[in-house]
Amino acid sequence: MRVILGLMFTVLALSAQAEVPEFQVVIKNHHFVPAEIRIPAGIKVKLIIENQDPTPEEFESDSLHREKIIAGNKTAKVMIGPLKPGSYPFFGEFNEDTAQGVVIAE
């Protein structure tokens, strides 16, 4: 019985992971593209962040409680949410003057 329950929970967990909406973000020329990401409020989402620059960048957000260094020419995944409706700014710590963006949960 424990084995069956364990398998059921594993299948449910894998199904839940497969249903997480993904949003693509690119770092190019020390900018986030798009700089505004609109996501549904109240659910978890996955940001797929592709750094097309040769230098590393850090995706950082105080309001999202996330920090992730993305090496040059690499891709990283960042899970966020569920979020209440509102705006959640983020920035690139290594190029803070240009790498700015916002997640808008609606």
Side-chain angles (χ1 to χ4, degrees), residues 24-78:
Q24 304 289 324
V25 181
V26 172
I27 300 167
K28 188 169 187 169
N29 299 320
H30 309 300
H31 289 84
F32 288 105
V33 180
E36 182 178 282
I37 305 160
R38 293 187 175 270
I39 67 167
I43 64 170
K44 276 190 169 191
V45 301
K46 184 186 303 182
L47 300 181
I48 308 294
I49 305 170
E50 178 187 358
N51 185 357
Q52 294 181 354
D53 288 339
T55 56
E57 185 56 89
E58 182 171 11
F59 175 90
E60 185 165 343
S61 173
D62 296 329
S63 58
L64 294 170
H65 309 290
R66 294 290 181 272
E67 289 184 50
K68 180 78 172 184
I69 294 176
I70 304 141
N73 299 309
K74 298 292 181 186
T75 300
K77 297 173 186 171
V78 176

Short mmCIF file of all heavy atoms in Angstrom, two decimals, residues 24-78:
data_model
loop_
_atom_site.label_atom_id
_atom_site.label_comp_id
_atom_site.label_asym_id
_atom_site.label_seq_id
_atom_site.Cartn_x
_atom_site.Cartn_y
_atom_site.Cartn_z
N GLN A 24 9.55 33.23 -20.79
CA GLN A 24 10.91 33.39 -21.29
C GLN A 24 11.39 34.83 -21.09
O GLN A 24 10.65 35.78 -21.37
CB GLN A 24 10.97 33.07 -22.79
CG GLN A 24 10.46 31.69 -23.15
CD GLN A 24 11.38 30.59 -22.70
OE1 GLN A 24 12.59 30.73 -22.71
NE2 GLN A 24 10.81 29.48 -22.28
N VAL A 25 12.61 34.96 -20.62
CA VAL A 25 13.26 36.26 -20.46
C VAL A 25 14.68 36.11 -21.01
O VAL A 25 15.34 35.11 -20.76
CB VAL A 25 13.33 36.68 -18.97
CG1 VAL A 25 13.99 38.05 -18.83
CG2 VAL A 25 11.96 36.67 -18.33
N VAL A 26 15.13 37.12 -21.73
CA VAL A 26 16.47 37.11 -22.30
C VAL A 26 17.25 38.27 -21.70
O VAL A 26 16.70 39.36 -21.52
CB VAL A 26 16.43 37.24 -23.84
CG1 VAL A 26 17.81 37.42 -24.43
CG2 VAL A 26 15.75 36.03 -24.45
N ILE A 27 18.50 38.02 -21.39
CA ILE A 27 19.43 39.09 -21.02
C ILE A 27 20.29 39.34 -22.24
O ILE A 27 20.98 38.43 -22.71
CB ILE A 27 20.30 38.70 -19.82
CG1 ILE A 27 19.44 38.39 -18.60
CG2 ILE A 27 21.31 39.82 -19.51
CD1 ILE A 27 20.19 37.71 -17.47
N LYS A 28 20.21 40.55 -22.79
CA LYS A 28 20.98 40.88 -23.99
C LYS A 28 21.43 42.33 -23.89
O LYS A 28 20.60 43.21 -23.62
CB LYS A 28 20.12 40.67 -25.23
CG LYS A 28 20.88 40.81 -26.52
CD LYS A 28 20.05 40.34 -27.69
CE LYS A 28 20.94 40.35 -28.92
NZ LYS A 28 20.31 39.69 -30.03
N ASN A 29 22.72 42.55 -24.09
CA ASN A 29 23.29 43.89 -23.97
C ASN A 29 22.97 44.51 -22.61
O ASN A 29 22.66 45.69 -22.51
CB ASN A 29 22.82 44.80 -25.11
CG ASN A 29 23.26 44.28 -26.46
OD1 ASN A 29 24.38 43.80 -26.62
ND2 ASN A 29 22.38 44.35 -27.43
N HIS A 30 23.01 43.67 -21.58
CA HIS A 30 22.78 44.09 -20.19
C HIS A 30 21.38 44.65 -19.95
O HIS A 30 21.19 45.52 -19.11
CB HIS A 30 23.85 45.08 -19.74
CG HIS A 30 25.24 44.60 -19.99
ND1 HIS A 30 25.74 43.43 -19.45
CD2 HIS A 30 26.23 45.11 -20.75
CE1 HIS A 30 26.99 43.26 -19.85
NE2 HIS A 30 27.31 44.26 -20.64
N HIS A 31 20.39 44.14 -20.71
CA HIS A 31 18.98 44.49 -20.53
C HIS A 31 18.17 43.20 -20.42
O HIS A 31 18.52 42.19 -21.04
CB HIS A 31 18.44 45.28 -21.73
CG HIS A 31 18.97 46.66 -21.83
ND1 HIS A 31 20.18 46.97 -22.41
CD2 HIS A 31 18.45 47.84 -21.41
CE1 HIS A 31 20.39 48.27 -22.35
NE2 HIS A 31 19.35 48.83 -21.74
N PHE A 32 17.07 43.24 -19.66
CA PHE A 32 16.12 42.14 -19.63
C PHE A 32 15.09 42.38 -20.74
O PHE A 32 14.55 43.48 -20.87
CB PHE A 32 15.39 42.07 -18.29
CG PHE A 32 16.26 41.59 -17.16
CD1 PHE A 32 16.75 42.47 -16.22
CD2 PHE A 32 16.57 40.24 -17.03
CE1 PHE A 32 17.54 42.04 -15.17
CE2 PHE A 32 17.37 39.79 -15.98
CZ PHE A 32 17.86 40.69 -15.06
N VAL A 33 14.84 41.34 -21.54
CA VAL A 33 13.87 41.44 -22.64
C VAL A 33 12.93 40.25 -22.55
O VAL A 33 13.41 39.12 -22.61
CB VAL A 33 14.59 41.45 -24.00
CG1 VAL A 33 13.58 41.54 -25.13
CG2 VAL A 33 15.63 42.57 -24.08
N PRO A 34 11.64 40.46 -22.32
CA PRO A 34 11.00 41.75 -22.11
C PRO A 34 11.30 42.28 -20.71
O PRO A 34 11.59 41.50 -19.80
CB PRO A 34 9.51 41.44 -22.26
CG PRO A 34 9.39 40.02 -21.83
CD PRO A 34 10.68 39.35 -22.24
N ALA A 35 11.20 43.57 -20.56
CA ALA A 35 11.44 44.19 -19.26
C ALA A 35 10.20 44.12 -18.38
O ALA A 35 10.28 44.29 -17.18
CB ALA A 35 11.87 45.65 -19.43
N GLU A 36 9.05 43.85 -18.99
CA GLU A 36 7.80 43.71 -18.25
C GLU A 36 7.23 42.32 -18.53
O GLU A 36 6.98 41.96 -19.68
CB GLU A 36 6.80 44.79 -18.70
CG GLU A 36 5.49 44.75 -17.96
CD GLU A 36 4.57 45.86 -18.40
OE1 GLU A 36 4.77 47.01 -17.97
OE2 GLU A 36 3.65 45.56 -19.19
N ILE A 37 7.05 41.56 -17.46
CA ILE A 37 6.55 40.19 -17.59
C ILE A 37 5.21 40.12 -16.87
O ILE A 37 5.13 40.35 -15.66
CB ILE A 37 7.53 39.18 -16.96
CG1 ILE A 37 8.92 39.35 -17.58
CG2 ILE A 37 7.03 37.76 -17.12
CD1 ILE A 37 10.02 38.77 -16.73
N ARG A 38 4.15 39.83 -17.60
CA ARG A 38 2.81 39.72 -17.00
C ARG A 38 2.51 38.24 -16.76
O ARG A 38 2.60 37.43 -17.69
CB ARG A 38 1.76 40.34 -17.91
CG ARG A 38 1.95 41.84 -18.02
CD ARG A 38 0.83 42.51 -18.79
NE ARG A 38 1.00 43.94 -18.76
CZ ARG A 38 0.50 44.74 -17.82
NH1 ARG A 38 -0.21 44.25 -16.84
NH2 ARG A 38 0.70 46.04 -17.87
N ILE A 39 2.18 37.94 -15.50
CA ILE A 39 1.89 36.55 -15.12
C ILE A 39 0.55 36.50 -14.40
O ILE A 39 0.09 37.51 -13.88
CB ILE A 39 3.01 35.97 -14.22
CG1 ILE A 39 3.04 36.67 -12.86
CG2 ILE A 39 4.37 36.03 -14.91
CD1 ILE A 39 3.88 35.97 -11.82
N PRO A 40 -0.06 35.31 -14.36
CA PRO A 40 -1.30 35.19 -13.58
C PRO A 40 -1.01 35.25 -12.09
O PRO A 40 -0.03 34.66 -11.62
CB PRO A 40 -1.84 33.82 -13.97
CG PRO A 40 -0.89 33.20 -14.91
CD PRO A 40 0.28 34.10 -15.08
N ALA A 41 -1.83 35.98 -11.36
CA ALA A 41 -1.71 36.02 -9.90
C ALA A 41 -2.20 34.70 -9.32
O ALA A 41 -3.01 34.01 -9.92
CB ALA A 41 -2.51 37.19 -9.33
N GLY A 42 -1.65 34.34 -8.16
CA GLY A 42 -2.16 33.21 -7.42
C GLY A 42 -1.63 31.84 -7.80
O GLY A 42 -2.09 30.85 -7.26
N ILE A 43 -0.70 31.77 -8.75
CA ILE A 43 -0.13 30.46 -9.11
C ILE A 43 1.38 30.57 -9.23
O ILE A 43 1.93 31.65 -9.44
CB ILE A 43 -0.71 29.90 -10.43
CG1 ILE A 43 -0.35 30.80 -11.62
CG2 ILE A 43 -2.21 29.70 -10.34
CD1 ILE A 43 -0.67 30.19 -12.95
N LYS A 44 2.06 29.44 -9.11
CA LYS A 44 3.50 29.40 -9.32
C LYS A 44 3.79 29.45 -10.80
O LYS A 44 3.05 28.87 -11.61
CB LYS A 44 4.10 28.11 -8.76
CG LYS A 44 4.41 28.14 -7.32
CD LYS A 44 5.22 26.92 -6.94
CE LYS A 44 5.72 27.15 -5.53
NZ LYS A 44 6.71 26.17 -5.14
N VAL A 45 4.87 30.14 -11.16
CA VAL A 45 5.33 30.16 -12.55
C VAL A 45 6.83 29.97 -12.58
O VAL A 45 7.52 30.15 -11.57
CB VAL A 45 4.94 31.47 -13.28
CG1 VAL A 45 3.43 31.67 -13.27
CG2 VAL A 45 5.64 32.66 -12.69
N LYS A 46 7.32 29.62 -13.74
CA LYS A 46 8.75 29.41 -13.93
C LYS A 46 9.26 30.44 -14.94
O LYS A 46 8.72 30.57 -16.04
CB LYS A 46 9.00 28.01 -14.47
CG LYS A 46 10.46 27.64 -14.62
CD LYS A 46 10.65 26.29 -15.30
CE LYS A 46 9.95 25.18 -14.59
NZ LYS A 46 10.18 23.87 -15.24
N LEU A 47 10.27 31.20 -14.52
CA LEU A 47 10.95 32.10 -15.45
C LEU A 47 12.14 31.34 -16.03
O LEU A 47 12.96 30.79 -15.28
CB LEU A 47 11.45 33.35 -14.75
CG LEU A 47 10.42 34.24 -14.06
CD1 LEU A 47 11.10 35.45 -13.43
CD2 LEU A 47 9.34 34.68 -15.03
N ILE A 48 12.22 31.29 -17.34
CA ILE A 48 13.37 30.71 -18.03
C ILE A 48 14.19 31.90 -18.50
O ILE A 48 13.77 32.65 -19.38
CB ILE A 48 12.96 29.85 -19.24
CG1 ILE A 48 11.91 28.82 -18.84
CG2 ILE A 48 14.18 29.22 -19.89
CD1 ILE A 48 12.39 27.76 -17.88
N ILE A 49 15.35 32.12 -17.87
CA ILE A 49 16.15 33.31 -18.14
C ILE A 49 17.40 32.90 -18.91
O ILE A 49 18.25 32.17 -18.40
CB ILE A 49 16.54 34.02 -16.83
CG1 ILE A 49 15.27 34.34 -16.02
CG2 ILE A 49 17.32 35.30 -17.14
CD1 ILE A 49 15.54 34.83 -14.62
N GLU A 50 17.49 33.37 -20.16
CA GLU A 50 18.62 33.06 -21.03
C GLU A 50 19.55 34.27 -21.09
O GLU A 50 19.14 35.34 -21.54
CB GLU A 50 18.14 32.70 -22.43
CG GLU A 50 19.27 32.41 -23.40
CD GLU A 50 18.80 32.24 -24.82
OE1 GLU A 50 17.57 32.30 -25.08
OE2 GLU A 50 19.66 32.05 -25.68
N ASN A 51 20.77 34.08 -20.62
CA ASN A 51 21.75 35.17 -20.68
C ASN A 51 22.53 35.04 -21.98
O ASN A 51 23.37 34.17 -22.14
CB ASN A 51 22.70 35.09 -19.48
CG ASN A 51 23.66 36.25 -19.43
OD1 ASN A 51 23.68 37.10 -20.32
ND2 ASN A 51 24.47 36.30 -18.39
N GLN A 52 22.24 35.92 -22.92
CA GLN A 52 22.92 35.91 -24.22
C GLN A 52 24.20 36.74 -24.21
O GLN A 52 24.92 36.78 -25.20
CB GLN A 52 21.98 36.40 -25.33
CG GLN A 52 20.83 35.45 -25.56
CD GLN A 52 19.91 35.92 -26.67
OE1 GLN A 52 20.04 37.01 -27.22
NE2 GLN A 52 18.93 35.08 -27.00
N ASP A 53 24.46 37.41 -23.10
CA ASP A 53 25.71 38.17 -22.97
C ASP A 53 26.85 37.22 -22.60
O ASP A 53 26.61 36.18 -21.98
CB ASP A 53 25.58 39.24 -21.88
CG ASP A 53 24.68 40.40 -22.30
OD1 ASP A 53 24.47 40.58 -23.51
OD2 ASP A 53 24.18 41.11 -21.41
N PRO A 54 28.08 37.59 -22.93
CA PRO A 54 29.22 36.73 -22.57
C PRO A 54 29.60 36.82 -21.09
O PRO A 54 30.36 36.00 -20.59
CB PRO A 54 30.35 37.25 -23.46
CG PRO A 54 29.99 38.67 -23.74
CD PRO A 54 28.49 38.72 -23.76
N THR A 55 29.05 37.80 -20.39
CA THR A 55 29.38 38.01 -18.98
C THR A 55 28.22 37.56 -18.10
O THR A 55 27.06 37.55 -18.52
CB THR A 55 29.66 39.50 -18.71
OG1 THR A 55 28.53 40.27 -19.14
CG2 THR A 55 30.90 39.96 -19.47
N PRO A 56 28.49 37.20 -16.85
CA PRO A 56 27.40 36.78 -15.96
C PRO A 56 26.51 37.96 -15.57
O PRO A 56 26.91 39.12 -15.64
CB PRO A 56 28.12 36.22 -14.74
CG PRO A 56 29.48 36.83 -14.77
CD PRO A 56 29.79 37.13 -16.19
N GLU A 57 25.30 37.62 -15.18
CA GLU A 57 24.35 38.61 -14.64
C GLU A 57 23.60 37.94 -13.51
O GLU A 57 23.45 36.71 -13.49
CB GLU A 57 23.38 39.09 -15.71
CG GLU A 57 22.44 40.19 -15.27
CD GLU A 57 23.16 41.41 -14.72
OE1 GLU A 57 23.49 42.31 -15.51
OE2 GLU A 57 23.41 41.45 -13.50
N GLU A 58 23.14 38.75 -12.58
CA GLU A 58 22.35 38.22 -11.47
C GLU A 58 20.93 38.73 -11.57
O GLU A 58 20.70 39.94 -11.62
CB GLU A 58 22.94 38.61 -10.12
CG GLU A 58 22.17 38.03 -8.96
CD GLU A 58 22.85 38.22 -7.62
OE1 GLU A 58 23.83 38.99 -7.54
OE2 GLU A 58 22.40 37.60 -6.66
N PHE A 59 19.98 37.81 -11.62
CA PHE A 59 18.57 38.16 -11.51
C PHE A 59 18.30 38.33 -10.02
O PHE A 59 18.48 37.40 -9.25
CB PHE A 59 17.70 37.03 -12.08
CG PHE A 59 16.22 37.27 -11.89
CD1 PHE A 59 15.50 37.95 -12.85
CD2 PHE A 59 15.56 36.80 -10.77
CE1 PHE A 59 14.13 38.16 -12.68
CE2 PHE A 59 14.20 37.01 -10.59
CZ PHE A 59 13.49 37.69 -11.56
N GLU A 60 17.91 39.54 -9.62
CA GLU A 60 17.69 39.80 -8.20
C GLU A 60 16.41 40.59 -8.02
O GLU A 60 16.11 41.51 -8.78
CB GLU A 60 18.86 40.56 -7.59
CG GLU A 60 18.71 40.74 -6.10
CD GLU A 60 20.00 41.18 -5.42
OE1 GLU A 60 21.09 41.06 -6.00
OE2 GLU A 60 19.89 41.65 -4.28
N SER A 61 15.66 40.22 -6.97
CA SER A 61 14.44 40.94 -6.63
C SER A 61 14.19 40.82 -5.14
O SER A 61 14.04 39.71 -4.62
CB SER A 61 13.24 40.37 -7.39
OG SER A 61 12.05 40.97 -6.94
N ASP A 62 14.16 41.97 -4.48
CA ASP A 62 13.83 41.98 -3.06
C ASP A 62 12.38 41.57 -2.84
O ASP A 62 12.07 40.80 -1.94
CB ASP A 62 14.09 43.36 -2.46
CG ASP A 62 15.56 43.75 -2.51
OD1 ASP A 62 16.42 42.85 -2.44
OD2 ASP A 62 15.85 44.96 -2.64
N SER A 63 11.48 42.08 -3.68
CA SER A 63 10.05 41.80 -3.48
C SER A 63 9.68 40.36 -3.83
O SER A 63 8.72 39.82 -3.30
CB SER A 63 9.20 42.78 -4.28
OG SER A 63 9.51 42.71 -5.65
N LEU A 64 10.45 39.73 -4.73
CA LEU A 64 10.21 38.32 -5.06
C LEU A 64 11.05 37.37 -4.19
O LEU A 64 10.88 36.16 -4.25
CB LEU A 64 10.55 38.05 -6.53
CG LEU A 64 9.65 38.73 -7.56
CD1 LEU A 64 10.23 38.59 -8.96
CD2 LEU A 64 8.24 38.16 -7.50
N HIS A 65 11.98 37.94 -3.44
CA HIS A 65 12.88 37.16 -2.58
C HIS A 65 13.68 36.14 -3.41
O HIS A 65 13.77 34.97 -3.04
CB HIS A 65 12.10 36.45 -1.46
CG HIS A 65 11.20 37.36 -0.69
ND1 HIS A 65 11.69 38.32 0.17
CD2 HIS A 65 9.85 37.47 -0.67
CE1 HIS A 65 10.67 38.99 0.69
NE2 HIS A 65 9.56 38.49 0.19
N ARG A 66 14.25 36.62 -4.52
CA ARG A 66 15.01 35.74 -5.39
C ARG A 66 16.33 36.40 -5.78
O ARG A 66 16.40 37.60 -6.03
CB ARG A 66 14.25 35.43 -6.69
CG ARG A 66 13.00 34.63 -6.51
CD ARG A 66 13.30 33.20 -6.10
NE ARG A 66 12.11 32.41 -5.94
CZ ARG A 66 11.40 32.33 -4.81
NH1 ARG A 66 11.77 33.00 -3.75
NH2 ARG A 66 10.33 31.57 -4.75
N GLU A 67 17.37 35.57 -5.84
CA GLU A 67 18.69 35.96 -6.36
C GLU A 67 19.22 34.76 -7.12
O GLU A 67 19.23 33.65 -6.60
CB GLU A 67 19.66 36.28 -5.24
CG GLU A 67 19.40 37.55 -4.49
CD GLU A 67 20.47 37.83 -3.46
OE1 GLU A 67 21.67 37.78 -3.79
OE2 GLU A 67 20.10 38.08 -2.30
N LYS A 68 19.62 34.97 -8.36
CA LYS A 68 20.14 33.86 -9.16
C LYS A 68 21.19 34.41 -10.12
O LYS A 68 20.91 35.25 -10.95
CB LYS A 68 19.00 33.20 -9.94
CG LYS A 68 19.40 32.04 -10.78
CD LYS A 68 19.59 30.82 -9.95
CE LYS A 68 19.80 29.60 -10.82
NZ LYS A 68 19.89 28.39 -10.04
N ILE A 69 22.41 33.91 -10.01
CA ILE A 69 23.46 34.29 -10.94
C ILE A 69 23.35 33.40 -12.17
O ILE A 69 23.25 32.17 -12.05
CB ILE A 69 24.85 34.17 -10.30
CG1 ILE A 69 25.00 35.21 -9.18
CG2 ILE A 69 25.96 34.37 -11.36
CD1 ILE A 69 26.30 35.13 -8.42
N ILE A 70 23.37 34.03 -13.34
CA ILE A 70 23.29 33.31 -14.60
C ILE A 70 24.58 33.58 -15.36
O ILE A 70 24.87 34.72 -15.74
CB ILE A 70 22.05 33.75 -15.41
CG1 ILE A 70 20.79 33.56 -14.56
CG2 ILE A 70 21.95 32.95 -16.70
CD1 ILE A 70 19.78 34.62 -14.71
N ALA A 71 25.36 32.55 -15.56
CA ALA A 71 26.64 32.68 -16.26
C ALA A 71 26.40 33.17 -17.68
O ALA A 71 25.31 33.02 -18.24
CB ALA A 71 27.36 31.34 -16.27
N GLY A 72 27.45 33.74 -18.28
CA GLY A 72 27.36 34.19 -19.66
C GLY A 72 27.02 33.05 -20.59
O GLY A 72 27.53 31.93 -20.43
N ASN A 73 26.12 33.31 -21.54
CA ASN A 73 25.70 32.32 -22.54
C ASN A 73 25.11 31.06 -21.92
O ASN A 73 25.25 29.97 -22.46
CB ASN A 73 26.85 31.98 -23.48
CG ASN A 73 27.34 33.19 -24.23
OD1 ASN A 73 26.55 33.92 -24.83
ND2 ASN A 73 28.62 33.45 -24.16
N LYS A 74 24.43 31.22 -20.78
CA LYS A 74 23.78 30.10 -20.10
C LYS A 74 22.32 30.45 -19.81
O LYS A 74 21.91 31.61 -19.92
CB LYS A 74 24.48 29.76 -18.78
CG LYS A 74 25.91 29.31 -18.94
CD LYS A 74 25.99 27.96 -19.63
CE LYS A 74 27.43 27.52 -19.75
NZ LYS A 74 27.58 26.31 -20.51
N THR A 75 21.56 29.44 -19.42
CA THR A 75 20.14 29.61 -19.10
C THR A 75 19.89 29.10 -17.68
O THR A 75 20.50 28.12 -17.27
CB THR A 75 19.27 28.83 -20.10
OG1 THR A 75 19.52 29.34 -21.42
CG2 THR A 75 17.79 28.98 -19.80
N ALA A 76 19.01 29.78 -16.98
CA ALA A 76 18.64 29.36 -15.62
C ALA A 76 17.13 29.41 -15.48
O ALA A 76 16.43 30.12 -16.22
CB ALA A 76 19.29 30.28 -14.59
N LYS A 77 16.63 28.64 -14.51
CA LYS A 77 15.20 28.62 -14.20
C LYS A 77 15.01 29.22 -12.82
O LYS A 77 15.76 28.90 -11.89
CB LYS A 77 14.68 27.20 -14.23
CG LYS A 77 14.80 26.56 -15.59
CD LYS A 77 14.44 25.10 -15.56
CE LYS A 77 14.74 24.50 -16.93
NZ LYS A 77 14.61 23.06 -16.94
N VAL A 78 14.00 30.07 -12.70
CA VAL A 78 13.67 30.69 -11.42
C VAL A 78 12.17 30.52 -11.20
O VAL A 78 11.36 30.98 -12.01
CB VAL A 78 14.04 32.20 -11.41
CG1 VAL A 78 13.61 32.85 -10.11
CG2 VAL A 78 15.53 32.39 -11.65
#
